[in-house]
Amino acid sequence: MTARYPFGYGAPAAQLTLAELEQRQSWVRLHPEFRRRLVAMFDEARRQGRVLGIGGGWRSSASQEQTFFARHEQVRIGGCCSYQGKRWKLRRGAAHAAPPGRSYHESVAELGGFAVAADLIGDLPWMNANAARFGFIHFAPPHRLREAWHVQPAELVEARSGYKGEQLRVWPLPDTRRTLKLGDTGGDVKIA
């Protein structure tokens, strides 16, 4: 049976094969090592009876700007960030979005033009508890941004504004094979 992965923010989310995911720009423009880790985490979640997939990944600068403007409003003083020479604050109840050019959701030239951030859907508590095993950091509380859905590679500095050209390395993924016992069934059981 071909694995299917939840994709998008629809209710219910689309269920795509890996080949179908690779037709989506928001997926294929993610760094290949980042995608490898995500698939490994999605597969492990499924083996444990959990549902985990990707809501969104790569964004164009125009899309990042649209997201930023939807979540922030201009202020005279204070706020959380600056963009276009102006100060901005988070709208009540909105999740933070980095100004364009400062998000790992956008292409990073030093990483081959790939993005290295994704917003996940499904069992986010499971994802947050297991993210480090797959080489990710997450922004769930107590993180100041309080975005339980956001993941990015652990070996990169958290904020893109501090990025200095670090590269992704091949992450040693956890051994997710289960220990078999007499009577077990499933795809990982072979008859010799």
Side-chain angles (χ1 to χ4, degrees), residues 35-49:
R35 291 192 319 252
R36 183 182 76 88
R37 296 179 200 181
L38 286 170
V39 168
M41 187 168 61
F42 297 163
D43 288 346
E44 175 64 8
R46 187 177 50 256
R47 275 190 288 280
Q48 293 186 25

Side-chain angles (χ1 to χ4, degrees), residues 45-68:
R46 187 177 50 256
R47 275 190 288 280
Q48 293 186 25
R50 310 297 180 128
V51 175
L52 195 61
I54 183 167
W58 172 84
R59 294 182 192 141
S60 67
S61 293
S63 177
Q64 186 66 29
E65 183 175 67
Q66 181 181 15
T67 301
F68 178 78

Side-chain angles (χ1 to χ4, degrees), residues 118-162:
D119 294 335
L120 303 188
I121 56 174
D123 192 336
L124 299 180
W126 184 92
M127 182 274 289
N128 292 310
N130 289 277
R133 296 175 52 223
F134 296 89
F136 298 127
I137 58 169
H138 61 81
F139 288 3
H143 191 279
R144 63 184 173 74
L145 294 181
R146 306 179 68 77
E147 295 179 356
W149 53 87
H150 182 95
V151 294
Q152 60 190 52
E155 69 267 37
L156 301 181
V157 294
E158 181 182 300
R160 185 168 170 186
S161 58

